[in-house]
Amino acid sequence: MTEGAVPWWRRAPAAAHRTWVRHPRWSLATRGAVAAALAWLVGVVAPAPFSEYPYYAPLGAVIATTSTLARSVRESAQSVGALLLGAAIAIVVDTVLAPGVLSVALVVGVALLCSGWRVFGGQGAWVANSAIFVLVLGRGEDAEYVGAFAGLVLVGAAIGTAVNLLLPSLLLTPSGLALGGLRDALVEQLDDLAGWLDDQGPLDPEEWERRRHALSPTIEAARAAVAHSQEASRGNPRARRHGERARSQSREAHLLGTTAEVVDEVVRLLVGWEAAGRDDVAFGPRLRPELAAAVRALADALRPPADDAASDAAAASAADDPGARFVRAVDRLQAAVRESRQGSDDDHLVAGALVVALRRAADVLTG
């Protein structure tokens, strides 16, 4: 039965799940909404004076649920500490200065200085927020207000952490998509470079500098996505069921990160030494085809396998492995550089550096 013949109500759950895991922001919003609602209910039924300020409990829940499971406890503690420090600053200033412009300026100034302390991490802004709240809203009942404020935020953060524990997000799909995007970008870059080496003579410095810089955001996005996914795996009960997938992504991230560095180094060297007008080029007409073949082999080694990659023909011999073909291409390039050096007075230093860079990619591909 073709996909079009399957009733929509049977396809809808799978499609919804694919969309859900591709967009972790929806999961975050759901967890935050659930935690905030539960925290509000707890604040409403809490005894006085807590029940007079129930809206502070959802604040703590939001602080906790917008972090990964590993960070939620730490950031909750940091935010509560920042809140208490801000409240203390406001109380001290309120006891020595009358309400007015000077007291507000002093509270905000001191709070902003303290908000930069490393112990608060990314939660330092709560020092100033808390100081202003306590100075303006807690006047006359500082102790009661501060206790309710900090206590409800702490309770809300505990609820948010519990929701994170019950409904953790593993984030493997977004990081996998980011790695796939990086892989495709590297393959495209390598294919274009090989084609240029085959057909177009010296590299255009402006064109390839633009390409190098255009690749940087894709590299950084993939690194950030993988780092976030690895952090989300710490303490996550779902990580045990998806451990091999997470480890596979970690290996792929290392491979693609190293390859991206190699591609950048190759392009940088070629742009500097194969530009038009230079006499001391890195590769002449004799070596250039071997370099193009090695670059193209690297692109083939990175290229995602086709759907029928498990066929008997593809699995017949390890010699058919794209990684092995790339290693052989680098070996041929190295031999050609060595032979060319013996018959020439040129140092071939840049050619040797390019071989070393490509060898690094071969090591990580076959390691």
Side-chain angles (χ1 to χ4, degrees):
M1 179 181 294
T2 62
E3 184 178 0
V6 178
W8 68 267
W9 61 84
R10 293 185 180 179
R11 300 197 309 270
H17 180 264
R18 286 195 300 270
T19 303
W20 177 267
V21 297
R22 288 169 66 97
H23 299 281
R25 180 64 59 176
W26 294 3
S27 173
L28 183 149
T30 300
R31 293 197 311 272
V34 170
L38 292 175
W40 169 267
L41 292 175
V42 170
V44 169
V45 301
F50 299 99
S51 58
E52 299 176 16
Y53 311 97
Y55 35 83
Y56 289 128
L59 177 62
V62 170
I63 292 172
T65 52
T66 52
S67 304
T68 62
L69 182 59
R71 287 167 48 196
S72 59
V73 175
R74 181 180 71 249
E75 292 191 351
S76 297
Q78 289 173 332
S79 62
V80 172
L83 291 170
L84 291 174
L85 177 59
I89 292 171
I91 292 173
V92 170
V93 171
D94 191 42
T95 59
V96 297
L97 288 178
V101 174
L102 183 59
S103 64
V104 171
L106 183 59
V107 163
V108 172
V110 174
L112 289 177
L113 285 175
C114 296
S115 66
W117 289 354
R118 294 178 59 185
V119 67
F120 296 129
Q123 306 303 312
W126 289 111
V127 179
N129 292 338
S130 171
I132 294 174
F133 284 156
V134 172
L135 184 68
V136 176
L137 302 178
R139 187 172 303 280
E141 45 188 24
D142 291 342
E144 178 181 296
Y145 180 80
V146 171
F149 186 20
L152 287 170
V153 169
L154 182 59
V155 169
I159 293 173
T161 301
V163 170
N164 265 357
L165 182 63
L166 294 174
L167 302 172
S169 179
L170 199 53
L171 304 177
L172 289 177
T173 297
S175 58
L177 293 173
L179 288 172
L182 175 57
R183 181 184 291 269
D184 292 343
L186 290 172
V187 168
E188 180 181 3
Q189 184 95 306
L190 289 165
D191 282 339
D192 290 347
L193 179 59
W196 195 292
L197 291 169
D198 278 338
D199 305 326
Q200 300 191 37
L203 273 67
D204 181 347
E206 292 184 2
E207 167 71 11
W208 285 95
E209 280 297 320
R210 183 188 65 78
R211 288 171 178 255
R212 285 181 63 221
H213 290 302
L215 190 61
S216 296
T218 304
I219 297 172
E220 293 304 319
R223 286 174 176 168
V226 172
H228 197 192
S229 175
Q230 290 174 343
E231 183 182 57
S233 299
R234 292 199 291 270
N236 193 326
R238 294 179 60 199
R240 297 177 182 177
R241 291 188 286 123
H242 301 277
E244 182 54 39
R245 185 182 174 193
R247 287 189 291 272
S248 176
Q249 281 195 4
S250 180
R251 291 191 295 268
E252 184 178 12
H254 175 63
L255 164 64
L256 295 180
T258 301
T259 305
E261 294 172 359
V262 169
V263 171
D264 184 77
E265 180 71 3
V266 169
V267 172
R268 185 180 61 82
L269 287 170
L270 287 175
V271 164
W273 292 89
E274 286 286 320
R278 290 192 67 107
D279 295 329
D280 50 343
V281 295
F283 285 86
R286 180 181 178 187
L287 295 177
R288 199 175 179 92
E290 294 291 351
L291 175 61
V295 170
R296 186 170 287 108
L298 177 55
D300 291 339
L302 291 180
R303 206 180 311 276
D307 293 337
D308 59 352
S311 62
D312 293 339
S317 172
D320 292 327
D321 178 63
R325 292 199 296 270
F326 172 56
V327 171
R328 292 197 298 273
V330 176
D331 290 339
R332 289 193 297 269
L333 175 62
Q334 182 173 349
V337 170
R338 186 182 298 114
E339 182 180 350
S340 178
R341 183 186 298 120
Q342 291 174 353
S344 171
D345 294 333
D346 296 333
D347 290 330
H348 290 72
L349 295 179
V350 179
L354 286 165
V355 171
V356 171
L358 292 172
R359 183 69 68 187
R360 181 184 174 203
D363 290 343
V364 75
L365 270 169
T366 58

